[in-house]
Amino acid sequence: MQQDARFFCYKKVGTLSISFIFGNYFSITKLKNMRKRLLMLAGIFFLLAQTVLAQTVEVSGRITDNKGEPIAGVSVSEKGTRNGTTSNAGGNFKIQVKSNATLVLSSIGYERKEIAVSGSAMNVSMETASESISEVVVTSLGIKREKKALGYAVSTIDKKALEQRPESDVVRLLNGKAPGVDILNTSGISGSGTQILIRGVSTISGSSTPLFVVDGVPFDASTNSQANFNFGNITTSRFLDLDPNAIESISVLKGLSATTLYGELGRNGVVLITTKNSSTRRTNKKMEVTATQSVFINQPANLPEYQQSYGGGFDLSLGLVFFSNWGARITDPPALVNHPYDRGTFGVADAPSDFAFPQYVGAKYEYKAYNSVERFFRKGVIKTSSVNMSSSGQQGTFNANFSYTDDQGFTPGNSLYKNNFGLGGNVKLSNNFTFSGTFNYSQTNFKSPPTGTSFGSGSGSPSVFGDLMYTPVSVDLIGLPWESPLDKSSQYYRPANDIQHPTWTVNNAFAGQQVNRVYGNMQLKYDITDKLNIFYRVGYDNYSDFNSLRVNKGGVDGGSQYTLGFYRTVDGHNAIWDHTLITNWTPKLNSDFTMDVNAGINSQERIYSQAGQKSTQQLVYGLFDHDNFIIHENLSEDGSGIDFKSQTQTIGVFTQATLGFREYLYFTAAARNSWSSNLEKDNRSLFYPSANVAFIPTSALESLKGSKIVNYLKIRGGYATSANFDQPYGTRNTLAIQTNVFLDRVGTIINSNAIGNQLANPNLKPELIGEIEMGIEGKFI
């Protein structure tokens, strides 16, 4: 039987819709057969779906250590795939894997573990790895390596050695914590400059300061050495802008083998600083807030030892007119001498009432030891408030911190205020991308009495220490008035008043720096495979530095340019742009051999400029404004120009490869080629390689494995080279322009030009520095 009809069949399977439309005059019998076939096909699809679903399972579990404590941040991955997750703060994880899969668990500080899936719930315990195997350090360009694989020396200092310490200067905190590193303070003044040398001086020209790298980005750590505007004065080092409480760890790379990838900037060693904002550490809770408050009392550690038997003078003479300490013997009871302020130089008339200090006319003074130097200093107080907030989850971490430092130095008039703010984090994005970044802002305000070059009879420029240390023991520095009530000029014990009173210096001469700094980075990593990734980072470091030196009129030290009043201001601006592109490859060779390969390109631009003015001959005492001075010029005290500009560009390509054999023998080869704008075009390029080897007998020799005497032993050696492209603008002669030099007979202003005393050399070539390094590292008993 046939029927003129249209039939519509619609069947929905899951989210897949299948529809059929049958035409006219279709056999009912054929339709029934077709429906049977469709039902059979749907059943097959359903069975296949059930089979596929049966091949995957959701596994959840908890990871603990051997004490039963949860471990956060453990990488849990399905072996042979890129499918993975991490454990949360409670050690819990959840992952969808094949029912016959093997899970791989790994975390720094714990033994790697593989475990077969045996159900939907699993509890796993991980064993702590031995220190010699698990210790991971940050090396060049932020690359993390196991310390045992390094063929060069690296010293690591963690945050416990840095937090809540009585120093605002990060470098001074490293003193005694890193072998081969020499740290010298320019003075005991809080905030004053610090010199750091790693394995001594390694170049015939240029700076010997190591390269500072903060969160993978070069960080300017100079001591205002760009141009000479700190003549006769003190200045700070720019690593003072770092906050010790925000640092996670510091690694000191000492040899050239360790710093090849950084090129010529790393020739003096590298100080790698990882902040908490850049660290990938995971917290034990979803949100962790830490607040600290520290207070320290500071005082001079060492002062000259003064004898207490003889007073000021020479040849056992009795009096106070000299600066030496070989006068008459001090007696008990003390001898009486004329008061040092009983002299006509303090007045202009014969009547005692017209004198600045009429109370001392005809007065006597006790000739005894007063211990003035020790009494001059005060108790310094260092107060630091710090807050740190951190959070972590399966997809990323976040950290933010703020600290405030109030450092009142033990030298009167010395203070340092710091505000540091920073934040950063990392997040895993889709499609195998990982994004991270940091932002830091620091504000540093430094003030101190100046410390110029000093002599026994005075100082070449204002100096609080020079005039203080030469004070005879028989002079009561604290008890004697330090300024004239008539004109507020300096007054001291010498008849000619030719030594500046240190207390007058403290109250009338000020050196200061105000620095605002922004630095940080942005990083993007793409995992091409689980063994290959590409990484790009851009870093920025910028600061403005306002320097000033103020001296009121009425002083004694330094000649007329200081004694009549002095005011110098210099405003400097520094910027560093750093771009790095790196490819990291860890191919799987076999059970005996491992390999790590890194290659990339780096570009760095440094821009510095400064401008300033020096004014002398102050009109109104106490007012520091350039309009309140008569003479103005842009020359420093030694005649050099204050205005200065510099811009340099460096580009380098580099590669490094490490081959490991059975985790006890490692060979590393690296090389870099740099191009620098500091030299002429034909001499701008230099290639420099390095190679090193590390051998661990305690892992290779059966007789030493598990030894209770020799726990760990490594023998290393290598040869490395590096470059130095000298200072910029040394290959071309410069022309000094001097305006308003003199007037001719008709009153025309004459300007002059002059070639510098140092002739440039266009044929200058870069230095090639070579180094052989050998060493032994061990842990015993």
Side-chain angles (χ1 to χ4, degrees):
M1 176 181 179
Q2 293 184 346
Q3 182 175 350
D4 185 5
R6 291 179 181 270
F7 293 91
F8 179 80
C9 179
Y10 182 90
K11 186 170 183 63
K12 186 173 182 181
V13 182
T15 57
L16 177 64
S17 297
I18 305 174
S19 58
F20 301 94
I21 298 179
F22 303 97
N24 295 334
Y25 311 107
F26 201 88
S27 169
I28 295 295
T29 303
K30 291 181 179 180
L31 178 60
K32 290 181 179 180
N33 293 334
M34 179 63 72
R35 291 178 65 182
K36 288 181 180 179
R37 292 171 182 171
L38 288 174
L39 290 173
M40 184 180 295
L41 183 61
I44 293 173
F45 280 142
F46 179 76
L47 291 174
L48 289 174
Q50 290 293 101
T51 303
V52 172
L53 290 175
Q55 291 178 348
T56 62
V57 61
E58 184 180 76
V59 179
S60 61
R62 187 168 186 261
I63 305 173
T64 59
D65 58 17
N66 49 16
K67 296 181 181 179
E69 296 295 328
I71 306 176
V74 177
S75 173
V76 182
S77 61
E78 182 179 0
K79 188 175 182 179
T81 72
R82 287 188 289 173
N83 179 30
T85 185
T86 56
S87 61
N88 60 19
N92 300 309
F93 71 93
K94 186 181 293 185
I95 186 173
Q96 190 91 13
V97 296
K98 294 179 180 179
S99 58
N100 60 346
T102 298
L103 296 182
V104 179
L105 285 71
S106 62
S107 180
I108 294 177
Y110 296 90
E111 297 283 1
R112 186 174 181 270
K113 193 166 189 175
E114 295 187 5
I115 184 169
V117 173
S118 59
S120 59
M122 302 174 63
N123 291 325
V124 185
S125 176
M126 297 185 69
E127 297 293 330
T128 303
S130 62
E131 185 178 2
S132 62
I133 295 177
S134 66
E135 190 170 1
V136 176
V137 296
V138 179
T139 63
S140 296
L141 299 174
I143 300 171
K144 293 184 177 180
R145 299 277 304 280
E146 286 186 310
K147 193 172 183 178
K148 67 177 183 179
L150 304 180
Y152 47 80
V154 176
S155 296
T156 303
I157 303 95
D158 62 16
K159 60 183 179 180
K160 294 181 181 179
L162 304 172
E163 293 178 332
Q164 301 186 54
R165 293 295 189 270
E167 278 284 4
S168 302
D169 190 325
V170 171
V171 170
R172 296 187 186 185
L173 293 175
L174 299 179
N175 206 349
K177 296 181 175 64
V181 180
D182 296 325
I183 298 172
L184 300 175
N185 304 343
T186 57
S187 71
I189 288 179
S190 295
S192 60
T194 306
Q195 183 184 33
I196 174 172
L197 291 176
I198 299 178
R199 293 183 174 175
V201 179
S202 61
T203 176
I204 62 173
S205 64
S207 171
S208 295
T209 302
L211 172 67
F212 277 70
V213 177
V214 179
D215 295 336
V217 178
F219 182 90
D220 182 80
S222 62
T223 310
N224 292 342
S225 58
Q226 295 284 2
N228 185 17
F229 63 84
N230 58 337
F231 184 80
N233 190 19
I234 57 174
T235 185
T236 64
S237 301
R238 287 280 51 87
F239 38 71
L240 182 67
D241 301 329
L242 295 169
D243 176 21
N245 293 290
I247 293 177
E248 180 73 15
S249 64
I250 297 179
S251 295
V252 181
L253 309 183
K254 303 173 186 177
L256 297 183
S257 292
T259 62
T260 299
L261 300 190
Y262 283 113
E264 65 280 2
L265 295 177
R267 68 183 182 276
N268 299 317
V270 178
V271 179
L272 296 178
I273 298 177
T274 302
T275 67
K276 295 177 182 178
N277 298 323
S278 176
S279 173
T280 56
R281 67 187 182 95
R282 296 186 174 272
T283 62
N284 295 324
K285 301 177 182 179
K286 292 184 178 180
M287 179 67 69
E288 186 176 87
V289 178
T290 304
T292 60
Q293 175 68 53
S294 62
V295 179
F296 294 94
I297 304 299
N298 196 13
Q299 62 184 18
N302 299 288
L303 289 175
E305 294 184 8
Y306 296 91
Q307 52 80 31
Q308 305 292 305
S309 301
Y310 298 89
F314 292 105
D315 302 323
L316 302 180
S317 59
L318 181 63
L320 294 174
V321 298
F322 305 105
F323 57 84
S324 178
N325 273 307
W326 301 111
R329 178 180 291 273
I330 294 174
T331 60
D332 186 17
L336 297 179
V337 297
N338 292 332
H339 198 282
Y341 286 6
D342 179 16
R343 59 182 186 258
T345 55
F346 287 102
V348 295
D350 293 334
S353 60
D354 293 332
F355 284 75
F357 301 104
Q359 67 273 29
Y360 296 124
V361 176
K364 296 298 181 181
Y365 179 86
E366 291 187 344
Y367 186 82
K368 63 181 183 180
Y370 287 91
N371 296 321
S372 294
V373 173
E374 183 179 344
R375 293 163 58 206
F376 175 82
F377 294 99
R378 65 187 182 185
K379 294 287 186 181
V381 180
I382 306 172
K383 295 179 289 186
T384 302
S385 303
S386 179
V387 177
N388 190 88
M389 180 178 65
S390 57
S391 177
S392 63
Q394 293 186 3
Q395 299 302 317
T397 63
F398 172 79
N399 196 91
N401 48 56
F402 171 79
S403 71
Y404 171 72
T405 301
D406 179 356
D407 186 346
Q408 301 297 317
F410 53 72
T411 303
N414 173 217
S415 62
L416 173 67
Y417 301 96
K418 289 174 55 178
N419 287 282
N420 292 86
F421 169 76
L423 57 86
N426 65 86
V427 60
K428 292 184 178 180
L429 306 176
S430 59
N431 300 323
N432 301 324
F433 280 99
T434 301
F435 175 81
S436 61
T438 63
F439 171 84
N440 299 275
Y441 170 75
S442 69
Q443 182 186 63
T444 305
N445 193 337
F446 165 74
K447 178 184 176 183
S448 174
T451 58
T453 305
S454 305
F455 309 94
S457 57
S459 302
S461 59
S463 174
V464 62
F465 289 150
D467 296 322
L468 172 68
M469 299 304 175
Y470 282 105
T471 298
V473 296
S474 55
V475 173
D476 185 9
L477 181 149
I478 306 302
L480 291 175
W482 50 269
E483 70 174 359
S484 169
L486 301 178
D487 59 3
K488 296 185 179 300
S489 62
S490 172
Q491 306 298 326
Y492 210 16
Y493 68 97
R494 295 283 292 273
N497 196 33
D498 53 359
I499 288 182
Q500 191 163 293
H501 198 299
T503 305
W504 190 93
T505 303
V506 165
N507 287 275
N508 289 275
F510 313 96
Q513 283 185 285
Q514 297 177 12
V515 178
N516 289 277
R517 187 169 197 163
V518 175
Y519 59 95
N521 65 75
M522 289 190 296
Q523 308 174 74
L524 187 64
K525 185 180 76 169
Y526 176 66
D527 293 317
I528 302 173
T529 68
D530 59 339
K531 303 294 183 181
L532 178 66
N533 65 69
I534 188 169
F535 176 87
Y536 170 73
R537 174 175 55 227
V538 56
Y540 183 58
D541 178 19
N542 176 273
Y543 66 79
S544 62
D545 182 0
F546 179 77
N547 288 261
S548 64
L549 177 61
R550 299 173 288 168
V551 182
N552 272 313
K553 63 180 180 179
V556 175
D557 290 342
S560 60
Q561 72 170 338
Y562 292 108
T563 60
L564 298 178
F566 181 92
Y567 186 41
R568 184 190 64 223
T569 57
V570 180
D571 198 3
H573 298 271
N574 189 84
I576 299 176
W577 280 101
D578 187 87
H579 302 267
T580 304
L581 182 68
I582 306 177
T583 299
N584 304 296
W585 183 39
T586 55
K588 185 176 181 180
L589 302 179
N590 53 47
S591 58
D592 290 334
F593 289 93
T594 60
M595 177 175 282
D596 290 279
V597 181
N598 317 105
I601 184 171
N602 171 259
S603 171
Q604 185 178 127
E605 183 180 18
R606 291 178 174 243
I607 305 170
Y608 180 83
S609 65
Q610 70 177 39
Q613 186 176 29
K614 181 187 71 176
S615 299
T616 55
Q617 298 187 24
Q618 185 183 39
L619 293 176
V620 180
Y621 171 90
L623 177 60
F624 289 98
D625 187 289
H626 286 291
D627 292 336
N628 188 42
F629 291 78
I630 297 176
I631 298 177
H632 312 281
E633 54 186 342
N634 62 347
L635 298 177
S636 185
E637 291 90 309
D638 64 348
S640 61
I642 293 178
D643 293 349
F644 182 84
K645 292 182 180 179
S646 173
Q647 183 172 358
T648 61
Q649 176 79 37
T650 301
I651 297 176
V653 293
F654 54 85
T655 184
Q656 175 179 268
T658 299
L659 180 65
F661 178 70
R662 294 186 177 179
E663 295 192 351
Y664 64 74
L665 182 63
Y666 297 89
F667 175 77
T668 301
R672 175 172 171 133
N673 197 102
S674 294
W675 294 264
S676 174
S677 64
N678 289 13
L679 301 178
E680 297 299 320
K681 186 176 181 179
D682 294 339
N683 299 322
R684 289 177 179 173
S685 175
L686 187 66
F687 174 79
Y688 39 100
S690 70
N692 60 77
V693 63
F695 173 62
I696 300 94
T698 47
S699 297
L701 305 178
E702 291 294 334
S703 59
L704 292 178
K705 291 181 180 180
S707 172
K708 295 183 179 180
I709 304 299
V710 183
N711 308 123
Y712 173 70
L713 184 65
K714 180 172 76 171
I715 303 172
R716 54 179 172 77
Y719 174 76
T721 56
S722 188
N724 178 23
F725 286 92
D726 202 15
Q727 299 297 315
Y729 313 111
T731 61
R732 301 183 184 183
N733 292 326
T734 59
L735 190 66
I737 302 175
Q738 296 177 327
T739 59
N740 300 335
V741 176
F742 57 89
L743 300 177
D744 65 11
R745 62 182 181 178
V746 296
T748 303
I749 297 176
I750 303 299
N751 303 320
S752 69
N753 299 327
I755 297 176
N757 294 328
Q758 183 176 356
L759 296 179
N761 183 1
N763 298 317
L764 281 177
K765 295 182 179 180
E767 288 182 71
L768 181 63
I769 306 168
E771 179 183 78
I772 297 176
E773 178 181 1
M774 300 184 70
I776 298 176
E777 298 177 17
K779 298 179 182 179
F780 306 94
I781 312 177

Short mmCIF file of all heavy atoms in Angstrom, two decimals, residues 435-470:
data_model
loop_
_atom_site.label_atom_id
_atom_site.label_comp_id
_atom_site.label_asym_id
_atom_site.label_seq_id
_atom_site.Cartn_x
_atom_site.Cartn_y
_atom_site.Cartn_z
N PHE A 435 51.73 34.98 32.15
CA PHE A 435 52.05 36.40 32.22
C PHE A 435 52.45 36.75 33.65
O PHE A 435 51.84 36.28 34.62
CB PHE A 435 50.86 37.25 31.81
CG PHE A 435 51.09 38.73 31.97
CD1 PHE A 435 51.80 39.45 31.02
CD2 PHE A 435 50.62 39.41 33.10
CE1 PHE A 435 52.03 40.80 31.18
CE2 PHE A 435 50.84 40.76 33.26
CZ PHE A 435 51.56 41.46 32.29
N SER A 436 53.48 37.57 33.79
CA SER A 436 53.91 38.02 35.10
C SER A 436 54.45 39.44 34.99
O SER A 436 54.83 39.90 33.90
CB SER A 436 54.97 37.08 35.70
OG SER A 436 56.12 37.05 34.88
N GLY A 437 54.52 40.11 36.12
CA GLY A 437 55.03 41.47 36.11
C GLY A 437 55.20 42.00 37.51
O GLY A 437 54.65 41.48 38.48
N THR A 438 56.00 43.06 37.62
CA THR A 438 56.21 43.74 38.90
C THR A 438 56.18 45.24 38.68
O THR A 438 56.53 45.74 37.59
CB THR A 438 57.55 43.35 39.55
OG1 THR A 438 58.63 43.78 38.71
CG2 THR A 438 57.64 41.86 39.78
N PHE A 439 55.79 45.95 39.71
CA PHE A 439 55.84 47.42 39.71
C PHE A 439 56.34 47.86 41.08
O PHE A 439 55.84 47.40 42.11
CB PHE A 439 54.46 48.02 39.44
CG PHE A 439 54.41 49.51 39.64
CD1 PHE A 439 54.81 50.37 38.63
CD2 PHE A 439 53.98 50.06 40.85
CE1 PHE A 439 54.78 51.75 38.81
CE2 PHE A 439 53.95 51.43 41.04
CZ PHE A 439 54.36 52.29 40.02
N ASN A 440 57.33 48.74 41.09
CA ASN A 440 57.91 49.21 42.34
C ASN A 440 58.08 50.73 42.29
O ASN A 440 58.49 51.29 41.26
CB ASN A 440 59.28 48.57 42.58
CG ASN A 440 59.21 47.07 42.68
OD1 ASN A 440 58.95 46.51 43.74
ND2 ASN A 440 59.45 46.39 41.56
N TYR A 441 57.80 51.35 43.42
CA TYR A 441 58.03 52.79 43.55
C TYR A 441 58.75 53.04 44.87
O TYR A 441 58.38 52.48 45.91
CB TYR A 441 56.70 53.57 43.56
CG TYR A 441 56.86 55.02 43.93
CD1 TYR A 441 57.40 55.93 43.02
CD2 TYR A 441 56.50 55.48 45.19
CE1 TYR A 441 57.55 57.27 43.36
CE2 TYR A 441 56.66 56.82 45.54
CZ TYR A 441 57.19 57.71 44.63
OH TYR A 441 57.36 59.02 44.97
N SER A 442 59.79 53.84 44.81
CA SER A 442 60.54 54.17 46.02
C SER A 442 60.76 55.68 46.08
O SER A 442 60.98 56.34 45.05
CB SER A 442 61.89 53.43 46.05
OG SER A 442 62.76 53.93 45.06
N GLN A 443 60.72 56.19 47.28
CA GLN A 443 60.98 57.60 47.54
C GLN A 443 62.01 57.67 48.66
O GLN A 443 61.78 57.16 49.76
CB GLN A 443 59.69 58.32 47.94
CG GLN A 443 59.85 59.80 48.19
CD GLN A 443 58.58 60.43 48.71
OE1 GLN A 443 58.11 60.09 49.79
NE2 GLN A 443 57.98 61.31 47.93
N THR A 444 63.14 58.28 48.39
CA THR A 444 64.24 58.35 49.34
C THR A 444 64.59 59.81 49.60
O THR A 444 64.79 60.58 48.65
CB THR A 444 65.49 57.62 48.82
OG1 THR A 444 65.13 56.27 48.47
CG2 THR A 444 66.58 57.59 49.86
N ASN A 445 64.66 60.18 50.86
CA ASN A 445 64.99 61.55 51.25
C ASN A 445 66.15 61.48 52.24
O ASN A 445 66.00 60.99 53.36
CB ASN A 445 63.78 62.24 51.88
CG ASN A 445 63.99 63.74 52.01
OD1 ASN A 445 65.12 64.22 52.05
ND2 ASN A 445 62.90 64.48 52.08
N PHE A 446 67.30 61.95 51.80
CA PHE A 446 68.53 61.84 52.58
C PHE A 446 69.05 63.23 52.93
O PHE A 446 69.03 64.14 52.09
CB PHE A 446 69.57 61.07 51.76
CG PHE A 446 70.98 61.18 52.28
CD1 PHE A 446 71.37 60.51 53.42
CD2 PHE A 446 71.92 61.96 51.62
CE1 PHE A 446 72.67 60.60 53.89
CE2 PHE A 446 73.22 62.07 52.07
CZ PHE A 446 73.60 61.38 53.22
N LYS A 447 69.51 63.39 54.15
CA LYS A 447 70.05 64.67 54.59
C LYS A 447 71.19 64.41 55.55
O LYS A 447 71.11 63.52 56.41
CB LYS A 447 68.97 65.52 55.27
CG LYS A 447 69.46 66.85 55.81
CD LYS A 447 68.35 67.59 56.54
CE LYS A 447 68.86 68.87 57.16
NZ LYS A 447 67.79 69.56 57.95
N SER A 448 72.26 65.22 55.43
CA SER A 448 73.41 65.02 56.31
C SER A 448 74.31 66.25 56.27
O SER A 448 74.35 66.97 55.27
CB SER A 448 74.22 63.79 55.87
OG SER A 448 75.41 63.67 56.63
N PRO A 449 75.05 66.48 57.34
CA PRO A 449 76.12 67.48 57.26
C PRO A 449 77.17 67.00 56.26
O PRO A 449 77.41 65.80 56.12
CB PRO A 449 76.70 67.51 58.68
CG PRO A 449 75.70 66.83 59.54
CD PRO A 449 74.97 65.88 58.67
N PRO A 450 77.83 67.89 55.52
CA PRO A 450 78.81 67.47 54.53
C PRO A 450 80.09 66.96 55.18
O PRO A 450 80.41 67.28 56.33
CB PRO A 450 79.09 68.75 53.73
CG PRO A 450 78.74 69.86 54.66
CD PRO A 450 77.62 69.35 55.52
N THR A 451 80.83 66.16 54.43
CA THR A 451 82.10 65.60 54.91
C THR A 451 83.15 65.78 53.83
O THR A 451 83.45 64.85 53.08
CB THR A 451 81.95 64.11 55.26
OG1 THR A 451 81.50 63.41 54.09
CG2 THR A 451 80.96 63.90 56.37
N GLY A 452 83.71 66.98 53.72
CA GLY A 452 84.72 67.26 52.71
C GLY A 452 86.10 66.80 53.14
O GLY A 452 86.30 66.27 54.24
N THR A 453 87.07 66.98 52.25
CA THR A 453 88.46 66.63 52.55
C THR A 453 88.96 67.49 53.71
O THR A 453 88.77 68.70 53.72
CB THR A 453 89.34 66.85 51.32
OG1 THR A 453 88.79 66.12 50.22
CG2 THR A 453 90.75 66.39 51.57
N SER A 454 89.62 66.86 54.66
CA SER A 454 89.98 67.55 55.90
C SER A 454 91.47 67.48 56.18
O SER A 454 92.15 66.54 55.78
CB SER A 454 89.21 66.95 57.08
OG SER A 454 87.83 66.97 56.84
N PHE A 455 91.96 68.51 56.90
CA PHE A 455 93.36 68.58 57.33
C PHE A 455 93.39 68.97 58.80
O PHE A 455 92.38 69.32 59.40
CB PHE A 455 94.11 69.61 56.48
CG PHE A 455 93.95 69.42 55.00
CD1 PHE A 455 92.97 70.11 54.29
CD2 PHE A 455 94.74 68.52 54.31
CE1 PHE A 455 92.81 69.92 52.94
CE2 PHE A 455 94.59 68.33 52.95
CZ PHE A 455 93.62 69.03 52.26
N GLY A 456 94.57 68.95 59.38
CA GLY A 456 94.68 69.26 60.79
C GLY A 456 94.29 70.67 61.15
O GLY A 456 93.81 70.93 62.25
N SER A 457 94.46 71.61 60.22
CA SER A 457 94.15 73.00 60.52
C SER A 457 92.92 73.48 59.80
O SER A 457 92.72 74.67 59.62
CB SER A 457 95.35 73.88 60.13
OG SER A 457 95.67 73.69 58.77
N GLY A 458 92.06 72.59 59.35
CA GLY A 458 90.84 72.99 58.66
C GLY A 458 90.51 72.04 57.54
O GLY A 458 91.17 71.02 57.33
N SER A 459 89.48 72.38 56.78
CA SER A 459 88.99 71.51 55.72
C SER A 459 88.95 72.26 54.40
O SER A 459 88.71 73.48 54.36
CB SER A 459 87.60 70.99 56.05
OG SER A 459 87.61 70.29 57.29
N GLY A 460 89.18 71.52 53.30
CA GLY A 460 89.11 72.12 51.98
C GLY A 460 87.70 72.51 51.59
O GLY A 460 87.49 73.34 50.71
N SER A 461 86.72 71.90 52.23
CA SER A 461 85.31 72.23 52.05
C SER A 461 84.62 71.85 53.36
O SER A 461 85.22 71.18 54.20
CB SER A 461 84.71 71.47 50.87
OG SER A 461 84.85 70.07 51.05
N PRO A 462 83.40 72.30 53.59
CA PRO A 462 82.76 72.01 54.88
C PRO A 462 82.82 70.53 55.23
O PRO A 462 82.53 69.66 54.40
CB PRO A 462 81.32 72.48 54.65
CG PRO A 462 81.45 73.57 53.64
CD PRO A 462 82.56 73.13 52.72
N SER A 463 83.22 70.24 56.47
CA SER A 463 83.39 68.85 56.89
C SER A 463 83.11 68.72 58.37
O SER A 463 83.84 69.28 59.19
CB SER A 463 84.81 68.38 56.59
OG SER A 463 85.04 67.09 57.12
N VAL A 464 82.07 67.98 58.71
CA VAL A 464 81.73 67.81 60.11
C VAL A 464 82.73 66.90 60.81
O VAL A 464 83.11 67.14 61.96
CB VAL A 464 80.29 67.27 60.26
CG1 VAL A 464 80.15 65.90 59.62
CG2 VAL A 464 79.87 67.21 61.72
N PHE A 465 83.20 65.86 60.14
CA PHE A 465 84.12 64.92 60.78
C PHE A 465 85.53 65.48 60.88
O PHE A 465 86.23 65.26 61.87
CB PHE A 465 84.15 63.60 60.01
CG PHE A 465 82.89 62.79 60.14
CD1 PHE A 465 82.47 61.95 59.12
CD2 PHE A 465 82.13 62.87 61.29
CE1 PHE A 465 81.31 61.21 59.26
CE2 PHE A 465 80.97 62.13 61.43
CZ PHE A 465 80.56 61.30 60.41
N GLY A 466 85.99 66.20 59.83
CA GLY A 466 87.35 66.71 59.86
C GLY A 466 87.59 67.66 61.02
O GLY A 466 88.56 67.52 61.77
N ASP A 467 86.72 68.63 61.20
CA ASP A 467 86.88 69.58 62.29
C ASP A 467 86.66 68.91 63.65
O ASP A 467 87.23 69.33 64.64
CB ASP A 467 85.90 70.74 62.11
CG ASP A 467 86.20 71.55 60.86
OD1 ASP A 467 87.39 71.72 60.55
OD2 ASP A 467 85.25 71.99 60.19
N LEU A 468 85.83 67.89 63.68
CA LEU A 468 85.53 67.22 64.94
C LEU A 468 86.70 66.38 65.43
O LEU A 468 87.12 66.47 66.59
CB LEU A 468 84.29 66.34 64.77
CG LEU A 468 83.94 65.42 65.94
CD1 LEU A 468 83.51 66.24 67.16
CD2 LEU A 468 82.86 64.44 65.54
N MET A 469 87.25 65.54 64.54
CA MET A 469 88.28 64.59 64.97
C MET A 469 89.58 65.26 65.38
O MET A 469 90.34 64.70 66.15
CB MET A 469 88.53 63.57 63.85
CG MET A 469 87.33 62.74 63.48
SD MET A 469 86.62 61.88 64.91
CE MET A 469 85.17 61.15 64.17
N TYR A 470 89.84 66.49 64.88
CA TYR A 470 91.07 67.18 65.24
C TYR A 470 90.91 68.05 66.48
O TYR A 470 91.83 68.76 66.85
CB TYR A 470 91.53 68.05 64.06
CG TYR A 470 92.21 67.26 62.97
CD1 TYR A 470 91.56 66.99 61.77
CD2 TYR A 470 93.50 66.77 63.14
CE1 TYR A 470 92.18 66.27 60.77
CE2 TYR A 470 94.13 66.05 62.15
CZ TYR A 470 93.47 65.79 60.96
OH TYR A 470 94.08 65.08 59.98
#
